[in-house]
């Protein structure tokens, strides 16, 4: 399967880790290629603001990683949404992993070297990339806190990690909300992602007549190929007749 080109009528929804950025040993060690913020800004302008970062990272971390670029974005798998005009919509602060749960996770994992806790404003991720032998131990601990029938929270599988997050949000929910926004409305959405949580976003894109591109299938699992694809399309659109250009929307 190969990635199709996108055009001025497209809307891009891009995951971050594992899609635009190579997975690192820990979340803090991720490397952002120097050219990426500028490339995203260029595409954002070409598509009239119809480009959103849809990530498990918090909105604050997304902005820190991609500075000075900002755009519409979904943080924590859709818990926080920033629209193309800069308006932010967020789940209530009360719907967050409690401090008691966070303390319990720290106490349970502190005796496991290589298992890392990543706190987020509403959720909490447990990474075991550096200690893969702890897979079963980590899942046992989180399942004790969040059974399958928990009414408010769910377990979100990730690559050598698991996250506790609000049940009522997803990347699919984020795409649905963005497609009602002026910058995205009426466009053909393309969602690019690499992980379990991205499947809902891909499904939402398909429901709106677009497509979902899995990094493993379309880009050989290589974020560098995703960035190259974005760059090729940016160059192609830049060279297209000016009459095709969509007026750029406001940057968040």
């Amino acid at each position: 399967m190969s990635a199709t080109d996108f055009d001025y009528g497209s809307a891009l929804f891009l995951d971050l880790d594992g899609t635009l950025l190579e997975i690192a040993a820990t979340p803090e060690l991720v490397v952002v290629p120097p050219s990426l913020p500028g490339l995203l800004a260029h595409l954002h302008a070409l598509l009239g603001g119809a480009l959103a970062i849809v990530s498990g990272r918090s909105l604050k971390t997304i902005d820190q990683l991609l500075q000075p670029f900002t755009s519409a974005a979904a943080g924590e798998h859709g818990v926080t949404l920033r629209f193309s005009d800069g308006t932010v919509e967020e789940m209530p602060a009360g719907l967050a992993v409690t401090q008691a749960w966070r303390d319990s996770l720290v106490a349970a994992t502190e005796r496991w070297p290589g298992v890392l806790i990543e706190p987020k404003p509403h959720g909490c991720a447990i990474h075991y990339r550096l200690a893969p032998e702890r897979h079963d131990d980590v899942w046992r601990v989180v399942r004790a806190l969040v059974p399958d029938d928990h009414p408010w929270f769910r377990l979100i599988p990730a690559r050598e990690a698991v996250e506790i997050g609000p049940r009522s949000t997803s990347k699919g929910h984020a795409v649905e909300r963005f497609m009602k926004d002026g910058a995205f409305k009426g466009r053909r959405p393309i969602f690019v992602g690499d992980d379990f949580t991205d499947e809902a976003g891909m499904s939402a894109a398909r429901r709106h007549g677009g497509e979902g591109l899995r990094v493993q299938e379309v880009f050989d699992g290589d974020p560098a190929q995703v960035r190259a694809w974005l760059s090729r399309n940016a160059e192609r659109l830049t060279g297209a007749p000016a009459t095709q250009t969509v007026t750029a929307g406001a940057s968040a």
Side-chain angles (χ1 to χ4, degrees):
M1 182 178 179
S2 59
T4 57
D5 288 337
F6 54 86
D7 57 31
Y8 287 109
S10 301
L12 291 179
F13 297 96
L14 306 172
D15 174 46
L16 198 55
D17 295 275
T19 298
L20 291 178
L21 306 176
E22 283 77 7
I23 295 289
T26 69
E28 295 79 12
L29 294 178
V30 71
V31 175
V32 179
S35 61
L36 181 60
L39 171 60
L40 293 175
H42 185 41
L43 284 167
H44 182 270
L46 288 171
L47 298 177
L51 184 155
I53 304 299
V54 184
S55 172
R57 300 267 196 168
S58 69
L59 202 61
K60 179 180 179 181
T61 302
I62 292 171
D63 288 346
Q64 288 173 339
L65 288 171
L66 298 178
Q67 63 181 320
F69 173 72
T70 58
S71 69
E76 292 192 75
H77 312 287
V79 171
T80 307
L81 304 177
R82 180 173 61 212
F83 295 92
S84 55
D85 64 357
T87 301
V88 174
E89 183 178 287
E90 187 169 6
M91 293 288 291
L95 188 56
V97 171
T98 66
Q99 189 60 48
W101 278 14
R102 296 175 194 271
D103 293 343
S104 175
L105 290 170
V106 170
T109 60
E110 62 184 0
R111 63 184 184 277
W112 300 334
V115 175
L116 307 174
I117 304 295
E118 180 190 5
K120 300 183 181 184
H122 289 81
C124 189
I126 303 90
H127 297 264
Y128 50 89
R129 176 173 299 277
L130 298 177
E133 71 279 4
R134 291 297 183 182
H135 171 280
D136 292 347
D137 294 321
V138 168
W139 276 90
R140 174 177 48 79
V141 166
V142 295
R143 283 196 177 106
L145 290 175
V146 188
D148 291 342
D149 60 353
H150 196 285
W152 306 115
F153 293 93
R154 63 178 175 134
L155 298 180
I156 306 169
R159 292 169 65 174
E160 295 178 296
V162 58
E163 183 169 342
I164 300 173
R167 182 177 291 281
S168 58
T169 59
S170 70
K171 291 187 178 183
H173 164 78
V175 171
E176 294 288 351
R177 295 287 290 113
F178 282 134
M179 289 303 292
K180 298 176 182 178
D181 179 52
F184 297 87
K185 194 172 183 179
R187 291 175 176 267
R188 182 174 181 271
I190 300 174
F191 193 108
V192 188
D194 74 304
D195 212 339
F196 167 81
T197 59
D198 298 312
E199 295 295 331
M202 294 179 196
S203 295
R206 295 183 187 111
R207 286 195 295 272
H208 285 270
E211 60 185 317
L213 303 180
R214 296 183 180 91
V215 176
Q216 291 85 343
E217 296 176 3
V218 182
F219 302 100
D220 296 327
D222 184 3
Q225 291 192 31
V226 178
R227 297 191 298 268
W229 171 70
L230 293 172
S231 182
R232 286 195 302 271
N233 276 274
E235 291 175 4
R236 181 178 54 79
L237 292 177
T238 301
T243 54
Q244 297 183 37
T245 304
V246 176
T247 302
S251 175

